Amino acid sequence: VQIGNDRNNLFTGSPKAKTCTLILRGGAEQFIDETERSLHDAIMIVRRALKNDSIVAGGGAIEMELSKELRNYAKTIHGKEQLLITAYAKALEIIPRQLCDNAGFDATTILNKLRQKHAQGAKWMGMDITSEDIADNFEACVWEPSIVKKNALTAACEACCTILSIDETVKNPNSNYKAPNAMPGM
């Protein structure tokens, strides 16, 4: 078989084969590189899903459920901790909001519907791209490996702690320097 300027041998119909080859073609090297990265990401997610059989519903469902649980917990405590937990719950809702924005949906309407359904106990309700609404994403087979979510939340918390632990601002010693012949106010 000839693909582009190259001739290739294709072997098909091997029922015991456990590998496959993908041939990527495109107009620009940048396009091919991006396609290769996307395929690699998809293959690694499937690999993780096979290794770790625990999954959660995607489409922002797990973030909305975590947000609801954190808001409920925040109501039981007082002080600064309550503010921090509420802020974290609000931050989790950025994921479904961004999914809505990326899809061109009205994020406010979708998030309000999700909050309402999660308050009623529908923990797997998430964004449904096909109907521009919400759906039970676990039933709709929109899944994500739970280990991916755990790693993302851990990394986000560690980054936040690193930022909050900075107790000294580094100042550029040349910031007070004025150039000769500088105009006033410059």
Side-chain angles (χ1 to χ4, degrees), residues 1-2 13 50-51 68 80 84 101 108 134-135 137 174 177:
V1 175
Q2 185 164 345
L50 290 173
K51 279 186 162 187
K68 179 198 80 164
K80 292 178 186 177
L84 293 171
D101 289 344
T108 304
I134 63 173
N137 282 350
N174 294 331
Y177 174 75

Side-chain angles (χ1 to χ4, degrees), residues 10-136:
L10 298 178
F11 300 97
T12 60
S14 302
K16 294 185 180 181
K18 296 189 181 216
T19 61
C20 71
T21 301
L22 299 173
I23 298 173
L24 304 177
R25 296 189 63 220
E29 190 68 28
Q30 182 180 5
F31 172 76
I32 296 297
D33 290 343
E34 186 60 33
T35 304
E36 184 180 357
R37 278 191 294 275
S38 295
L39 276 171
H40 182 268
D41 290 348
I43 290 168
M44 290 300 107
I45 287 173
V46 170
R47 179 176 169 262
R48 277 189 177 170
L50 290 173
K51 279 186 162 187
N52 304 295
D53 59 354
S54 176
I55 57 172
V56 294
I62 192 69
E63 289 84 2
M64 291 302 293
E65 185 65 17
L66 288 171
S67 176
K68 179 198 80 164
E69 291 296 328
L70 286 172
R71 286 179 196 273
N72 289 342
Y73 175 67
K75 292 175 185 175
T76 66
I77 58 176
H78 301 286
K80 292 178 186 177
E81 290 85 4
Q82 183 183 36
L83 294 173
L84 293 171
I85 292 169
T86 303
Y88 191 84
K90 184 179 178 184
L92 284 170
E93 292 184 3
I94 291 172
I95 302 295
R97 177 176 300 279
Q98 193 62 50
L99 289 172
C100 289
D101 289 344
N102 290 350
F105 301 161
D106 180 15
T108 304
T109 303
I110 299 290
L111 268 108
N112 283 335
K113 287 180 181 180
L114 285 172
R115 281 188 202 104
Q116 180 184 19
K117 287 295 185 182
H118 281 266
Q120 295 169 354
K123 67 179 181 177
W124 299 125
M125 294 299 284
M127 193 182 101
D128 181 8
I129 285 188
T130 56
S131 66
E132 195 173 334
D133 202 10
I134 63 173
D136 184 332

Side-chain angles (χ1 to χ4, degrees), residues 116-170:
Q116 180 184 19
K117 287 295 185 182
H118 281 266
Q120 295 169 354
K123 67 179 181 177
W124 299 125
M125 294 299 284
M127 193 182 101
D128 181 8
I129 285 188
T130 56
S131 66
E132 195 173 334
D133 202 10
I134 63 173
D136 184 332
N137 282 350
F138 205 85
E139 290 294 320
C141 299
V142 179
W143 303 327
E144 296 183 62
S146 58
I147 192 151
V148 171
K149 285 296 172 189
K150 287 178 186 175
N151 289 343
L153 289 170
T154 301
C157 288
E158 288 173 356
C160 184
C161 290
T162 300
I163 292 169
L164 291 174
S165 69
I166 297 172
D167 59 357
E168 187 176 313
T169 304
V170 178

